[in-house]
Amino acid sequence: IVDAGGVDSITQCPQHLPQMMAAAADGLGSIAMDTTRLNMSVTDPTAWATAMNNLGMVPVGLPGQQLVSDSICVSGFDPGLNMMTGITPINPMLPGLGLVPPPPPTEVAVVKEIIHCKSCTLFPQNPSLPPPSTRERPPGCKTVFVGGLPENATEEIIQEVFEQCGDITAIRKSKKNFCHIRFAEEFMVDKAIYLSGYRMRLGSSTDKKDSGRLHVDFAQARDDFYEWECKQRMRAREERHRRKLEEDRLRPPSPPAIMHYSEHEAALLAEKLKDDSKFSEAITVLLSWIERGEVNRRSANQFYSMVQSANSHVRRLMNEKATHEQEMEEAKENFKNALTGILTQFEQIVAVFNASTRQKAWDHFSKAQRKNIDIWRKHSEELRNAQSEQLMGIRREEEMEMSDEETCDSPAKKMRVDESALAAQAYALKEENDSLRWQLDAYRNEVELLKQEKEQLFRTEENLTKDQQLQFLQQTLQGMQQQLLTIQEELNTKKSELEQAKEEQSHTQALLKVLQEQLKGTKELVETNGHSHEDTNEINVLTVALVNQDRENNIEKRSQGLKSEKEALLIGIISTFLHVHPFGANIEYLWSYMQQLDSKISANEIEMLLMRLPRMFKQEFTGVGATLEKRWKLCAFEGIKTT
């Protein structure tokens, strides 16, 4: 069997061309089967149903019955089946799409009968054999591929056999044993597929050239696909038209068109402005006329009279507002009276609950009853408090209003209405003046913006790049200046530290010289006079006392005020650390602890800070010989006790 996928187009018979064009343009809802053309000899009424069941399709109808359902014969519009969308067309015959109803139960007996024609006979295939396979149905398929034809079969014989399925528009026969048949409608293809598997014998001859097994399958033709696309486009146009009509129906009505200005229309509009029911419509027309620029020297008086009538409507509006305010006051009074009545009833209910909770009645209630009474009492008290707060708020508002209003007589009310009307008129004039001033400011801003845009256009790209470079250089200079300031501060601190160290060194050198001279003098005295050992000890004690005094003087000089907040924080941390170490701690241990908090701190800084505060920290020597160690202790509490 030769594959039918390579067929491009089917030539059409000219006598059937008008029928085809009418069928393509027709958008009817259902097409019934032409029962007069079906001349098959079907003795069993389930023959067509069995055949279509074998092919997995909808059962083909009998005479007077539709072959396929309306959903296939007249395909509904599917917006996804458009060639322009780029989506592959969906086959409507697939059983999963819901277009094809499920096949009948498989228990139905499959029986095919012999079909007799004038020049040939069709014998059905063995019922035990599987049904012949078919390819996927192309969209809009009206062409079938017929293979396995006898070699001696002519176009007349083929037309005689397949005319029973419907109107044939074209037959294209190959030199080999196959042909393509194009029908007028799509449902006729389903009837032709029924004949697949039949053995065809010409006349009564048993020659090989006069017999063959038919294989009928769907064929893909350009003409079918083109007609199907035309129908889809037509349905798409109908759908768009329907949606547009629906949108137009649901769209809100547009506002009425405003008539053009004329003296006659202006006179009618002046009458409408005086009518309360037509004022809102007339004022919009007047506004549109003024915005259009209809005011000129000739029509200025007419427009002035209309504006004056609009101004007179302000007084009517203020009177309406006064009446509404009076109604609101009456409603407030009614609400307040009703609220006081509700509040008195709440007070009575709360009094009942309070009486029932007294000892006389409370002992006679059960535990559950007491619980419910307590819950009800709390709830009623909460509601009573809320209502009383609301009533008190209303009374406060009334007191404030009464304090604002000095008198409440009716003539005063009338005067107030007139004053409010004048105030409203003045406010309207003020708003108009403000709007004109704002428009003038807006125009000025626009002129300034236009000037700035012109200036920016005249500025070249080089100027822009120069500005950017200058900004960048200014930023870098600022950063460098900040760095220089920080470096200068560090240098000043280091200079001060160096000067202190030099002073200490010079002082220690002077002390050493003094001590050396004293030692020499003591040696000479011992040698000459032969003083006792006690005298030498006294001299040593004096020298040590002098050294200690000098040290204390140096320490007092060093112990200046705290320079920064950081030093105060360090002193607090060191004092807490030494407080939990009553036997003291060496400088390395203290430095290792402080380095966990601040990695940049050094041991020399900590020692200098401790030496600057002799009243808080003191240094002691512990151990003997190689185990000699300097330890710092907290002596602040001792200093407080002594002072």
Side-chain angles (χ1 to χ4, degrees):
I1 298 169
V2 181
D3 187 12
V7 179
D8 293 336
S9 64
I10 305 299
T11 57
Q12 301 176 0
C13 296
Q15 61 270 22
H16 295 291
L17 186 60
Q19 298 176 4
M20 285 182 59
M21 297 303 289
D26 192 7
L28 298 176
S30 73
I31 301 171
M33 172 187 166
D34 188 2
T35 57
T36 59
R37 304 301 296 271
L38 187 63
N39 297 324
M40 292 182 181
S41 59
V42 181
T43 58
D44 191 353
T46 61
W48 285 104
T50 304
M52 301 314 284
N53 182 30
N54 289 337
L55 296 174
M57 296 181 178
V58 182
V60 185
L62 296 173
Q65 183 182 358
Q66 198 173 357
L67 285 174
V68 287
S69 64
D70 292 336
S71 61
I72 299 170
C73 292
V74 183
S75 57
F77 169 68
D78 186 1
L81 300 177
N82 195 349
M83 185 179 177
M84 305 306 290
T85 57
I87 304 170
T88 54
I90 303 170
N91 185 6
M93 294 300 292
L94 290 175
L97 294 177
L99 298 176
V100 181
T106 55
E107 288 80 8
V108 178
V110 178
V111 179
K112 280 191 177 183
E113 294 295 327
I114 300 170
I115 300 172
H116 296 281
C117 299
K118 290 180 181 179
S119 56
C120 64
T121 308
L122 300 176
F123 296 95
Q125 68 175 4
N126 190 356
S128 61
L129 293 174
S133 61
T134 57
R135 63 180 293 174
E136 187 178 355
R137 180 169 187 154
C141 181
K142 294 182 183 179
T143 307
V144 292
F145 165 80
V146 182
L149 291 169
E151 292 182 10
N152 295 332
T154 60
E155 285 190 13
E156 289 78 11
I157 295 170
I158 295 167
Q159 187 164 5
E160 181 188 353
V161 172
F162 285 93
E163 256 186 348
Q164 302 176 54
C165 301
D167 293 336
I168 296 171
T169 59
I171 296 175
R172 185 178 178 183
K173 189 176 181 304
S174 177
K175 292 179 181 179
K176 296 184 180 181
N177 301 334
F178 70 91
C179 71
H180 291 87
I181 303 171
R182 191 164 192 263
F183 291 97
E185 298 296 337
E186 291 183 28
F187 70 91
M188 299 173 185
V189 174
D190 300 323
K191 298 180 188 178
I193 294 292
Y194 171 73
L195 300 176
S196 183
Y198 271 84
R199 181 172 290 280
M200 185 176 182
R201 190 173 71 184
L202 303 179
S204 59
S205 175
T206 57
D207 191 5
K208 187 177 181 182
K209 294 183 179 181
D210 294 332
S211 65
R213 185 179 297 279
L214 298 178
H215 175 74
V216 186
D217 199 354
F218 301 109
Q220 193 168 4
R222 286 181 184 172
D223 298 336
D224 297 345
F225 190 68
Y226 177 72
E227 288 182 9
W228 177 79
E229 273 191 333
C230 290
K231 287 182 181 179
Q232 291 298 313
R233 290 194 188 98
M234 182 179 67
R235 291 193 179 94
R237 285 194 295 272
E238 291 175 357
E239 182 69 15
R240 285 197 297 272
H241 181 65
R242 187 188 63 78
R243 286 180 183 173
K244 188 177 179 182
L245 290 175
E246 189 70 18
E247 287 175 0
D248 292 341
R249 187 176 65 81
L250 296 174
R251 189 181 294 125
S254 58
I258 295 169
M259 72 288 290
H260 292 283
Y261 171 76
S262 65
E263 291 183 359
H264 176 68
E265 293 292 340
L268 294 175
L269 188 66
E271 296 296 327
K272 287 182 182 178
L273 285 169
K274 294 175 183 177
D275 190 0
D276 292 342
S277 61
K278 299 178 182 178
F279 179 78
S280 59
E281 180 184 353
I283 201 74
T284 55
V285 177
L286 179 61
L287 178 62
S288 62
W289 281 355
I290 293 169
E291 288 178 350
R292 283 179 188 174
E294 299 290 346
V295 182
N296 50 31
R297 288 186 179 180
R298 189 189 302 172
S299 60
N301 293 329
Q302 206 164 12
F303 273 100
Y304 178 76
S305 63
M306 287 189 283
V307 171
Q308 192 175 9
S309 61
N311 183 32
S312 63
H313 192 76
V314 173
R315 193 172 296 169
R316 291 199 297 271
L317 291 175
M318 295 307 296
N319 291 330
E320 287 180 6
K321 183 188 173 187
T323 55
H324 290 310
E325 285 178 351
Q326 191 173 0
E327 290 175 359
M328 188 175 70
E329 292 294 332
E330 291 176 357
K332 277 185 180 179
E333 190 67 28
N334 294 331
F335 175 70
K336 189 177 75 172
N337 295 332
L339 196 62
T340 51
I342 291 167
L343 192 60
T344 53
Q345 291 179 9
F346 268 118
E347 292 288 347
Q348 292 171 357
I349 293 166
V350 170
V352 168
F353 282 125
N354 290 330
S356 60
T357 54
R358 286 169 189 162
Q359 199 70 26
K360 289 181 182 178
W362 190 253
D363 294 338
H364 299 288
F365 293 118
S366 64
K367 191 174 183 180
Q369 289 173 348
R370 289 177 184 176
K371 187 176 180 181
N372 289 333
I373 290 168
D374 195 13
I375 291 167
W376 294 338
R377 181 180 61 79
K378 288 179 181 178
H379 184 61
S380 60
E381 283 179 354
E382 288 174 0
L383 291 172
R384 189 268 314 273
N385 293 332
Q387 300 296 327
S388 62
E389 285 177 2
Q390 190 174 3
L391 186 62
M392 291 299 292
I394 292 167
R395 285 176 179 170
R396 282 195 213 99
E397 289 177 359
E398 287 180 352
E399 287 174 0
M400 289 172 68
E401 289 176 358
M402 289 293 290
S403 63
D404 293 337
E405 295 176 359
E406 294 180 357
T407 56
C408 298
D409 297 333
S410 59
K413 284 185 180 179
K414 289 180 182 178
M415 289 293 290
R416 199 184 310 122
V417 168
D418 294 335
E419 287 174 1
S420 62
L422 292 170
Q425 187 176 358
Y427 183 70
L429 290 170
K430 186 181 177 183
E431 281 187 347
E432 187 177 358
N433 190 13
D434 292 339
S435 65
L436 290 171
R437 190 171 65 251
W438 293 335
Q439 286 179 5
L440 184 61
D441 293 337
Y443 290 143
R444 285 177 183 169
N445 293 330
E446 286 180 1
V447 171
E448 289 177 359
L449 286 171
L450 288 170
K451 286 181 181 178
Q452 288 177 4
E453 286 177 0
K454 284 183 179 179
E455 289 175 0
Q456 287 177 1
L457 288 171
F458 284 124
R459 288 179 67 184
T460 58
E461 294 181 356
E462 293 178 358
N463 292 332
L464 292 172
T465 54
K466 284 180 182 178
D467 293 340
Q468 290 177 357
Q469 288 175 0
L470 284 170
Q471 288 178 0
F472 182 74
L473 289 170
Q474 286 174 358
Q475 290 176 0
T476 52
L477 282 170
Q478 287 176 0
M480 293 291 287
Q481 286 174 359
Q482 290 178 358
Q483 288 179 0
L484 284 170
L485 289 171
T486 53
I487 290 166
Q488 284 177 358
E489 289 177 358
E490 291 177 358
L491 282 171
N492 291 328
T493 53
K494 287 182 179 179
K495 281 180 181 178
S496 62
E497 289 175 359
L498 283 170
E499 288 175 357
Q500 288 177 2
K502 284 179 182 179
E503 288 177 358
E504 289 175 0
Q505 189 176 1
S506 62
H507 190 70
T508 51
Q509 285 177 358
L511 284 171
L512 283 170
K513 286 179 182 180
V514 170
L515 289 169
Q516 286 175 0
E517 290 176 357
Q518 288 179 356
L519 285 169
K520 285 179 182 179
T522 52
K523 284 180 181 179
E524 289 175 357
L525 288 169
V526 169
E527 289 175 356
T528 55
N529 298 328
H531 286 290
S532 65
H533 186 67
E534 292 177 358
D535 296 332
T536 58
N537 288 335
E538 288 176 0
I539 292 164
N540 290 330
V541 166
L542 287 170
T543 56
V544 169
L546 287 169
V547 171
N548 289 331
Q549 282 179 2
D550 292 333
R551 273 187 187 174
E552 287 175 0
N553 292 327
N554 291 330
I555 288 165
E556 286 176 359
K557 286 179 183 178
R558 288 178 191 169
S559 62
Q560 299 170 357
L562 298 177
K563 293 182 180 179
S564 63
E565 188 178 354
K566 181 182 176 183
E567 290 183 358
L569 184 64
L570 289 171
I571 288 164
I573 295 166
I574 291 166
S575 59
T576 53
F577 181 80
L578 293 175
H579 182 64
V580 298
H581 292 79
F583 298 106
N586 58 8
I587 197 70
E588 287 81 9
Y589 183 27
L590 186 60
W591 175 62
S592 64
Y593 174 74
M594 295 295 294
Q595 202 171 16
Q596 294 178 358
L597 302 174
D598 187 4
S599 60
K600 295 181 180 179
I601 199 166
S602 62
N604 190 18
E605 289 180 14
I606 298 168
E607 192 170 10
M608 292 293 291
L609 186 64
L610 294 171
M611 290 172 68
R612 281 169 55 191
L613 300 168
R615 292 184 180 179
M616 287 185 68
F617 309 104
K618 68 179 180 179
Q619 191 178 21
E620 292 184 353
F621 292 92
T622 58
V624 179
T627 60
L628 188 65
E629 187 181 9
K630 285 194 273 185
R631 290 192 177 186
W632 288 92
K633 286 186 178 180
L634 181 68
C635 62
F637 299 112
E638 296 175 2
I640 290 168
K641 288 176 184 177
T642 55
T643 56

